[in-house]
Amino acid sequence: MSQQPFNERPTPITAASVRQQPSGMPFQRYVPFGTVDLPDRTWPGKVITKAPRWLSTDLRDGNQALIDPMSPARKRAMFDLLVKLGYKEIEVGFPASGATDFDFVRSIIEDGAIPEDVTISVLTQAREELIERTVESLRGAPRATVHLYNATSPLFRRVVFHASKDEIKQIAVDGTRLVMEYAEKILGDDTIFGYQYSPEIFIDTELDFALEVCEGVMDVWQPGEGREIILNLPTTVERSTPNVYADKIEWMSRNLSRREFVALSTHPHNDRGTGVASAELAVMAGADRVEGCLFGQGERTGNLDLVNVGLNLFSQGVDPEVDLSNIDEIRRTWEYCNQMQLAERHPYVGDLVYTSFSGSHQDAIKKGFDALEADAAAAGVPVGAYTWGVPYLPIDPKDVGRSYEAVIRVNSQSGKGGVSYVLKNDHNLDLPRRMQIEFSRTIQAKTDAEGGEVTPKQIWAVFEDEYLPTPDAPWGRIQLRSHQASSAADGTETITVDAVVDGSDVTLRGTGNGPADAFVGALAQIGVDVRVLDYAEHTLSQGSGAQAAAYWECAVDGKVVWGVGIDTSIVRASIKAIVSAVNRAQR
């Protein structure tokens, strides 16, 4: 067949031929954000080589954005997590707002829960009665900062406060003086005391006025050698591109007097979806300190995501100076405290962020792992110590506590959804997401081998064979017969389990902080190494004889598998689930 000459072929697509249509949206109502006249800006050429100072405001800014604010128990769990991760500055509340926050601050002080090297921070508005109550909450704290703020932006001056610039500045100056007076009156010499000031909605405040207010505050506080002041410059509502915020930070950093005694702090929100970029560019522009929340919890679209920024640094070879090596433990505590769920695609922590479904991606990742192992062997170092470089994976999942099990897998999103729907609709089984993925892989193997449609009856038969062997068709090393559990006064539990192991009757005994933990210890007696990674449970029906389903994700001798148990007793269901995981791992 003759080929058409190239110059006679159809006209190719060009940029000029692609014409987008007007949206019809009222964009004329909005005004472009102004820029900063800073032609000699230096931040674009900077590189972050050290972690900034971090402040977590999960217990204040994050908590106030929750539909159901944290209970005292959940607040304490969040505080303990932040301490464990290594955050040295933690904003713990707004104690003058009510008894809940005040009592929480008092509880962590009186319980001795604050390590000597951790500074707690509390927020207050610039009213005398609120300042007094705020400082009172800190009595006996080892290290504490009072964070005072007032709104300085034109819109707030005009619409909310009907106040002049001079009046707004005076609020900040008088508030600073009152903080100092009440700290002198209430706090003893045992408290190392600091001060933070925020010109609220700094991003919208005229730069020269923001500078004037901050200078007026410093004239009262008198920062100097051994007497720091924290000046926090928030994007309370993110409205500019990150480069404009960086310009404003650099401008302030250049023009502040007594700069060497100022901790210049940044507090980005995420209204434009660029909070992380704003923080990183602000640090490049001279900010010393970054405020935010774990996983970006906060009002509207959230505060800055501290974990995201920390692991961004980590991925560039910079020590984040907080321990983020067990990302799933952090997530589980965060979800308990906030009573919220993180998205599957949330950076670094979502269930699917280290997973590739595309065949070409999977091939590249496999080759990357092979090359990494070969390069490490050639260099004579362990793979875990060799410079990371695998396609599509910005960091090694193992460095944040994830396994490689989910990195390369064959899975269809619709297949997983259909399988989980059948199990929930027909059998009331609500599988955890990662278990949905595991079981859909089993179904996919069946369809690949046999072809055709898999009916709901066939799906259930495969599920039973995979996770719930019937008594007349047992499989695996262990068959559970009976168990007894008892509790000691110190809260530990002892469990005795009668079972058939490798065809012989065996009695297993173990002690732990719960029946499941005790059973895991008992399994060690027969040489089975089990580490629990995650679990979920729910009832299948209502009434006194209702059954419960337990799902346990376990690493059995290094192999990650799920197990399922169904029983009228949730304890027995959990034991069955662990047995199921062990049997499946060794099947």
Side-chain angles (χ1 to χ4, degrees):
M1 185 176 69
S2 61
Q3 190 174 32
Q4 185 182 15
F6 182 81
N7 60 1
E8 295 180 10
R9 294 176 186 175
T11 303
I13 294 174
T14 65
S17 68
V18 178
R19 300 181 183 277
Q20 294 185 196
Q21 300 300 311
S23 68
M25 297 176 68
F27 62 89
Q28 303 89 344
R29 298 185 63 212
Y30 301 91
V31 179
F33 202 89
T35 59
V36 180
D37 184 16
L38 197 68
D40 58 342
R41 60 181 60 83
T42 63
W43 62 262
K46 299 288 182 63
V47 176
I48 303 174
T49 58
K50 188 180 187 306
R53 283 168 54 175
W54 306 110
L55 175 129
S56 159
T57 185
D58 287 87
L59 290 163
R60 200 275 300 172
D61 218 352
N63 185 53
Q64 75 181 30
L66 295 173
I67 297 173
D68 177 20
M70 296 182 204
S71 65
R74 286 189 278 142
K75 278 189 172 185
R76 181 59 183 270
M78 176 62 76
F79 180 78
D80 291 344
L81 172 66
L82 294 167
V83 169
K84 180 180 179 181
L85 297 181
Y87 289 99
K88 301 302 180 184
E89 295 180 79
I90 303 172
E91 195 164 50
V92 293
F94 196 152
S97 66
T100 301
D101 270 21
F102 185 93
D103 292 345
F104 176 72
V105 176
R106 294 308 309 153
S107 72
I108 58 175
I109 294 172
E110 292 167 3
D111 291 349
I114 309 169
E116 289 294 326
D117 63 345
V118 170
T119 300
I120 61 169
S121 176
V122 287
L123 184 72
T124 183
Q125 295 168 322
R127 287 160 44 195
E128 183 169 3
E129 69 277 13
L130 301 183
I131 292 171
E132 180 181 12
R133 180 72 168 163
T134 299
V135 176
E136 179 63 40
S137 74
L138 299 175
R139 192 187 294 270
R143 302 174 62 92
T145 295
V146 167
H147 176 189
L148 181 136
Y149 75 98
N150 70 307
T152 58
S153 70
L155 185 64
F156 272 71
R157 295 198 307 261
R158 179 177 64 84
V159 173
V160 180
F161 297 108
H162 309 289
S164 68
K165 285 183 176 181
D166 287 343
E167 290 170 322
I168 292 295
K169 177 183 174 181
Q170 197 61 45
I171 290 171
V173 168
D174 291 344
T176 303
R177 185 174 293 109
L178 286 167
V179 168
M180 295 170 65
E181 290 176 2
Y182 279 106
E184 180 70 23
K185 184 187 305 182
I186 294 172
L187 301 181
D189 294 337
D190 292 338
T191 298
I192 300 173
F193 180 70
Y195 181 61
Q196 172 174 337
Y197 172 71
S198 294
E200 184 67 4
I201 315 191
F202 162 78
I203 192 67
D204 289 328
T205 302
E206 306 94 324
L207 278 173
D208 57 351
F209 183 55
L211 179 67
E212 180 184 342
V213 175
C214 288
E215 290 289 344
V217 166
M218 287 198 290
D219 288 342
V220 176
W221 179 256
Q222 287 296 305
E225 193 65 40
R227 186 176 175 81
E228 172 192 86
I229 188 170
I230 300 168
L231 295 178
N232 185 54
L233 307 177
T235 55
T236 311
V237 178
E238 186 184 43
R239 300 205 308 112
S240 76
T241 50
N243 62 298
V244 174
Y245 184 51
D247 280 347
K248 292 196 168 198
I249 294 293
E250 182 163 340
W251 189 94
M252 288 290 287
S253 184
R254 289 187 193 183
N255 287 280
L256 281 166
S257 68
R258 297 160 279 196
R259 178 65 181 88
E260 66 271 31
F261 309 121
V262 174
L264 197 59
S265 183
T266 176
H267 182 110
H269 278 249
N270 199 43
D271 298 87
R272 290 171 55 94
T274 55
V276 167
S278 291
E280 291 176 332
L281 297 192
V283 171
M284 291 161 61
D288 307 298
R289 183 172 178 268
V290 170
E291 297 190 358
C293 296
L294 300 182
F295 306 125
Q297 165 59 15
E299 290 179 300
R300 302 180 310 280
T301 54
N303 285 45
L304 168 74
D305 184 340
L306 289 178
V307 176
N308 196 338
V309 179
L311 287 175
N312 282 355
L313 293 177
F314 176 78
S315 74
Q316 300 297 302
V318 178
D319 184 358
E321 299 180 5
V322 284
D323 185 359
L324 305 173
S325 61
N326 192 339
I327 201 73
D328 288 327
E329 179 189 2
I330 300 169
R331 179 186 65 179
R332 283 192 292 269
T333 303
W334 183 94
E335 290 180 337
Y336 160 71
C337 293
N338 290 286
Q339 300 291 286
M340 297 175 68
Q341 299 295 313
L342 283 167
E344 292 91 340
R345 301 290 182 190
H346 196 103
Y348 295 109
V349 68
D351 279 342
L352 301 179
V353 296
Y354 304 106
T355 300
S356 287
F357 296 105
S358 162
S360 62
H361 287 204
Q362 292 174 350
D363 181 63
I365 291 170
K366 180 181 183 303
K367 290 174 179 175
F369 276 120
D370 292 343
L372 187 70
E373 291 177 2
D375 292 345
V381 298
V383 173
Y386 194 75
T387 301
W388 179 253
V390 172
Y392 299 111
L393 292 173
I395 65 171
D396 186 342
K398 284 191 173 180
D399 288 337
V400 290
R402 289 280 175 89
S403 72
Y404 292 146
E405 293 293 320
V407 171
I408 297 178
R409 64 179 184 235
V410 178
N411 180 44
S412 166
Q413 186 70 20
S414 59
K416 173 176 66 65
V419 170
S420 60
Y421 173 81
V422 168
L423 291 175
K424 186 171 185 179
N425 191 61
D426 292 359
H427 303 281
N428 292 326
L429 291 174
D430 193 5
L431 275 58
R433 178 167 292 275
R434 289 195 296 278
M435 187 181 171
Q436 292 176 26
I437 294 166
E438 180 189 81
F439 183 55
S440 70
R441 187 165 58 232
T442 303
I443 296 297
Q444 186 69 51
K446 179 179 176 64
T447 59
D448 288 346
E450 301 176 5
E453 180 183 1
V454 182
T455 66
K457 183 177 180 180
Q458 290 171 320
I459 289 174
W460 178 244
V462 173
F463 186 86
E464 279 191 306
D465 179 67
E466 188 69 23
Y467 298 100
L468 303 171
T470 56
D472 58 345
W475 51 259
R477 290 189 63 193
I478 304 171
Q479 298 172 49
L480 182 65
R481 284 186 170 173
S482 63
H483 81 279
Q484 291 182 329
S486 60
S487 301
D490 62 359
T492 60
E493 295 216 25
T494 299
I495 193 166
T496 302
V497 176
D498 291 324
V500 178
V501 179
D502 297 329
S504 300
D505 292 336
V506 173
T507 298
L508 304 173
R509 291 184 178 85
T511 301
N513 57 19
D517 185 51
F519 182 54
V520 166
L523 289 172
Q525 298 171 19
I526 56 171
V528 179
D529 177 27
V530 179
R531 181 165 58 93
V532 173
L533 303 178
D534 200 1
Y535 74 95
E537 58 193 39
H538 64 83
T539 58
L540 296 177
S541 57
Q542 302 295 322
S544 58
Q547 288 190 312
Y551 314 91
W552 287 72
E553 186 183 34
C554 303
V556 182
D557 296 325
K559 183 177 182 180
V560 177
V561 291
W562 283 88
V564 180
I566 297 176
D567 201 276
T568 54
S569 162
I570 190 59
V571 172
R572 188 174 174 86
S574 295
I575 294 171
K576 283 183 174 181
I578 296 170
V579 168
S580 172
V582 171
N583 285 343
R584 291 188 65 239
Q586 300 178 348
R587 191 174 188 181

